Amino acid sequence: MCNILLFFFLRQSENSSSSIVSTMLVTQDYVAVKEDEISVVQGEVVQILASNQQNMFLVYRAANEHSPAAEGWIPGYVLGHTSSSVTPELPEGTIKKSLSWHTALRIRRKSEKRDKEGRKIENGYRKSQDSLANKVSVKLLNPNFIPDAPPEFLIPVTDVACESGDTVTLRCKICSRPRATVTWRGPDNGVRSNNGRYSTTYSETEEATLRIVMVSVEDSGVYTCVATNVAGSVTSSANLTVSASHDGNSEIWKSSFEFNYTEITELGRGRFSVTKRCDQRGSKRTVAAKYVSKKLLRREQVLQEIRLLQTLDHPNLVKLLDTYEMANSYVLVLEMADQGRFLDYVVSWGNLTEEKVALYLREILEALHYLHGWRIAHLDLKPENIVVEHASSQPVIKLTDFGDAVQLNPASSYIHPLLGSPEFSAPELVLGQPASLTSDIWSLGVVTYIVLSGASPFLDESLEETCLNICRLDFSFPEDYFQGVSLAAKDFVCLLLQSEPERRPSALACLQEQWLQPRGVINTGFVGSKHAHASPNHHTLHLDTSRLISFIERRKHQNDIRPIDTVRAFLHSRLLNNI
């Protein structure tokens, strides 16, 4: 009722002569709580400039002995009607704003009267556009003023039905002023953001999307888009129905693992799995069985790794042999690398030289070149995921553990969720920016640094400081750690450890680097070319591996699974302060 009376008083004032100003009396003190508000005192007379749907009034208060002139918003409940419209005595030189605004309104309305051919008929009477305008809930005395408007959905979210394993996009279109902020919530009412299988976008035209990759039956439920601005908040919800896939996935799981295999010993532990050495009954073939916890990973996430392994075939990648399902875990049966983990092999064999390091790196790069040809990023390249097999007289280096691997489209904006130590993670992954194929190249640069020195280039006392070192590219080559290491080897590390993903070389370009060429061969632009020529020998000085023993021991006891997301706000603030 208060708001209706105020609008009535405003209309009355507007219909009076141009020299009369719309004024109201402040009936109680008010202290500003927002930047665009002003404080007023009971008894003051203010000039009304505009109002909005929230019963807030834009007013002008002339200067007085207690305070300077001011303009801002105050709530309607502190205003009362003065006994008559008055012309306030403003100090000389004060701009009488509402006078010019009223004049503009009258000029505009006179022009509307000249176009009365478009008048509307209601109940037999002609109704002017002026009277229609009076029904607008937001009354503007300033024709240039644009009010805040709460969000509304021009196109709401719609229901989606799909099969398990599909990629789904929920979308809607919003209209708001000022531009709304958008949040997506899932069936558990938890926020869905750019993390793991979820990615969100909000375009300049206010189209909002939520993309979910590899959906499973567990993803079924109601998803809600929440749009909020200073004027209000609205929601739009839709139901996602995911049915079980009929592509034969259920047939890949066998249920008799204990009958076919005997557990021998544990080989290692990951964030979500335990890998054990097992012997196949009857044939006595040794395999590596990866037990993935059902409590920690969903079926669809395990299937994603299985599908990748089934499509890959390369001598430097560990092969998938079989899959089983047990009561508490999924089991991936993988070929066994008889020499174990890479760093364990390096330390046990000793006599490490740059030439051997280059040989090992070439095989890792061959694997990455193959993966990247399929646009697959490994995204978890670290010493524990590199194993060695002695299939012949020469060791064969292989990559394993594709639980984090993902196929990146050319315009991909996939944000990779990080857990645990970021020791080998590229800056873009640490900062929550889109992953790229060269994220693996950065990780290989860290591995190279560690093999050459036995030390980790960015590791610090805390997770926060380690991440900060990565983002600032804060590393060096201490002389006591890199004694006997060539400049060419250090240059190769620097080539891989570049902050910008696009500046890092591809796996193929790395393979053509001279430092990596076999002894007695110089690069001609063709890897493995028969036209290669003699080159200076690689350094044959033995590298110190004593620090690698400590490094391996530390990694065995490292079990931090705190999400890196928790330190991203800290990183952005620290990096911003140093710009």
Side-chain angles (χ1 to χ4, degrees):
M1 179 62 71
C2 176
N3 209 17
I4 295 171
L5 288 174
L6 288 172
F7 282 128
F8 171 76
F9 294 143
L10 289 173
R11 288 295 302 163
Q12 292 295 104
S13 299
E14 180 190 323
N15 292 333
S16 55
S17 66
S18 62
S19 62
I20 302 300
V21 179
S22 298
T23 60
M24 299 201 78
L25 181 69
V26 178
T27 59
Q28 64 185 80
D29 294 352
Y30 178 73
V31 179
V33 294
K34 295 182 179 178
E35 278 189 28
D36 58 352
E37 296 180 358
I38 62 170
S39 299
V40 290
V41 179
Q42 181 179 0
E44 288 183 333
V45 175
V46 294
Q47 185 179 338
I48 306 299
L49 306 180
S51 63
N52 66 19
Q53 287 177 320
Q54 283 71 48
N55 195 27
M56 297 292 290
F57 286 75
L58 181 63
V59 301
Y60 174 79
R61 184 197 62 214
N64 55 48
E65 60 183 5
H66 303 295
S67 55
E71 177 180 311
W73 293 87
I74 60 174
Y77 67 80
V78 305
L79 295 174
H81 187 47
T82 54
S83 58
S84 62
S85 294
V86 298
T87 305
E89 295 180 4
L90 301 177
E92 192 173 14
T94 301
I95 299 174
K96 298 183 180 180
K97 299 184 181 183
S98 69
L99 293 181
S100 60
W101 291 356
H102 278 292
T103 302
L105 265 178
R106 282 198 309 279
I107 292 171
R108 186 179 65 182
R109 286 182 174 155
K110 283 178 181 177
S111 68
E112 289 174 357
K113 289 178 182 179
R114 288 195 293 267
D115 298 325
K116 285 192 175 180
E117 293 83 3
R119 287 181 176 179
K120 297 190 177 181
I121 305 298
E122 184 173 304
N123 296 330
Y125 294 94
R126 288 202 294 184
K127 195 162 188 175
S128 72
Q129 292 190 10
D130 270 353
S131 62
L132 289 173
N134 293 341
K135 291 191 175 181
V136 178
S137 60
V138 176
K139 175 72 182 120
L140 292 181
L141 299 184
N142 176 3
N144 297 317
F145 176 76
I146 301 176
D148 293 340
E152 62 175 303
F153 285 93
L154 300 180
I155 303 175
V157 190
T158 55
D159 292 345
V160 175
C162 63
E163 285 191 353
S164 178
D166 289 346
T167 294
V168 172
T169 301
L170 303 173
R171 64 180 74 245
C172 57
K173 190 173 179 62
I174 302 157
C175 178
S176 59
R177 186 184 298 113
R179 179 181 168 88
T181 57
V182 169
T183 304
W184 288 90
R185 294 188 177 277
D188 59 354
N189 205 36
V191 174
R192 300 295 189 264
S193 57
N194 288 321
N195 193 349
R197 298 183 306 116
Y198 303 98
S199 60
T200 62
T201 63
Y202 187 32
S203 70
E204 291 297 322
T205 57
E206 295 195 85
E207 182 178 80
T209 65
L210 170 65
R211 185 171 182 264
I212 312 172
V213 300
M214 297 293 295
V215 295
S216 66
V217 175
E218 291 90 340
D219 289 316
S220 296
V222 176
Y223 287 78
T224 302
C225 180
V226 184
T228 306
N229 69 4
V230 293
S233 179
V234 291
T235 62
S236 176
S237 299
N239 193 57
L240 173 63
T241 304
V242 184
S243 58
S245 175
H246 301 292
D247 60 0
N249 282 336
S250 59
E251 298 176 6
I252 71 170
W253 303 107
K254 298 178 181 178
S255 58
S256 53
F257 180 78
E258 299 96 330
F259 180 79
N260 289 294
Y261 292 92
T262 303
E263 293 182 2
I264 304 299
T265 185
E266 183 176 312
L267 296 174
R269 288 180 175 265
R271 296 188 301 272
F272 310 114
S273 62
V274 178
T275 303
K276 297 181 180 181
R277 177 177 175 174
C278 298
D279 283 348
Q280 189 175 27
R281 298 180 190 271
S283 69
K284 297 299 179 182
R285 180 184 183 182
T286 302
V287 298
K290 180 180 177 180
Y291 296 76
V292 183
S293 170
K294 286 185 175 180
K295 291 182 180 179
L296 300 177
L297 278 186
R298 295 181 301 106
R299 186 188 190 94
E300 287 301 326
Q301 291 172 287
V302 182
L303 280 172
Q304 183 177 1
E305 180 177 2
I306 290 172
R307 290 190 189 104
L308 275 176
L309 287 169
Q310 287 174 334
T311 60
L312 301 175
D313 184 18
H314 191 272
N316 296 117
L317 299 178
V318 167
K319 289 180 175 62
L320 176 69
L321 303 176
D322 217 337
T323 54
Y324 288 84
E325 183 173 4
M326 301 174 69
N328 299 313
S329 58
Y330 302 105
V331 184
L332 277 63
V333 181
L334 305 164
E335 65 177 352
M336 181 72 188
D338 57 1
Q339 298 299 308
R341 290 180 169 179
F342 175 55
L343 290 187
D344 292 328
Y345 171 83
V346 168
V347 169
S348 62
W349 279 81
N351 299 326
L352 184 67
T353 63
E354 281 191 29
E355 183 182 2
K356 287 184 179 179
V357 173
L359 170 67
Y360 302 148
L361 293 179
R362 279 200 305 275
E363 299 214 352
I364 297 172
L365 283 164
E366 290 286 2
L368 290 179
H369 177 50
Y370 173 80
L371 286 175
H372 294 177
W374 286 87
R375 296 205 61 80
I376 294 172
H378 188 279
L379 299 182
D380 195 22
L381 183 58
K382 56 188 179 183
E384 293 83 359
N385 290 337
I386 305 171
V387 293
V388 186
E389 183 180 74
H390 255 171
S392 59
S393 58
Q394 291 295 323
V396 178
I397 310 297
K398 298 192 175 192
L399 295 188
T400 187
D401 197 343
F402 289 82
D404 288 337
V406 65
Q407 192 160 25
L408 300 175
N409 296 321
S412 173
S413 57
Y414 171 73
I415 308 296
H416 182 58
L418 283 179
L419 287 174
S421 173
E423 206 170 336
F424 299 89
S425 300
E428 61 269 17
L429 304 188
V430 171
L431 290 170
Q433 297 168 353
S436 74
L437 297 177
T438 58
S439 299
D440 291 338
I441 300 298
W442 170 283
S443 301
L444 184 61
V446 178
V447 171
T448 306
Y449 185 105
I450 290 168
V451 175
L452 291 172
S453 67
S456 190
F458 303 106
L459 187 67
D460 214 317
E461 294 180 358
S462 69
L463 176 68
E464 291 79 4
E465 290 301 322
T466 298
C467 290
L468 205 56
N469 292 340
I470 292 170
C471 297
R472 288 175 173 171
L473 204 61
D474 187 2
F475 76 99
S476 60
F477 298 99
E479 183 60 36
D480 51 340
Y481 284 12
F482 283 83
Q483 190 172 5
V485 176
S486 70
L487 180 61
K490 297 176 187 176
D491 287 344
F492 181 77
V493 171
C494 291
L495 180 67
L496 274 53
L497 296 181
Q498 300 195 67
S499 295
E500 298 81 7
E502 60 275 7
R503 295 189 62 183
R504 297 174 209 143
S506 65
L508 181 60
C510 290
L511 283 166
Q512 295 173 343
E513 284 296 310
Q514 183 171 338
W515 181 69
L516 283 186
Q517 302 314 306
R519 185 176 180 180
V521 173
I522 191 168
N523 181 30
T524 62
F526 300 94
V527 179
S529 168
K530 294 180 180 179
H531 304 289
H533 304 289
S535 71
N537 291 340
H538 272 296
H539 288 266
T540 55
L541 183 67
H542 289 176
L543 301 176
D544 183 6
T545 59
S546 60
R547 284 182 295 272
L548 279 177
I549 299 172
S550 301
F551 177 88
I552 294 168
E553 194 62 27
R554 173 181 65 81
R555 294 286 295 176
K556 282 181 181 176
H557 300 286
Q558 187 169 305
N559 192 30
D560 180 9
I561 58 169
R562 178 158 58 124
I564 304 302
D565 296 13
T566 59
V567 302
R568 281 175 181 158
F570 162 82
L571 290 174
H572 285 292
S573 64
R574 288 288 295 273
L575 293 171
L576 190 63
N577 290 337
N578 287 295
I579 293 177

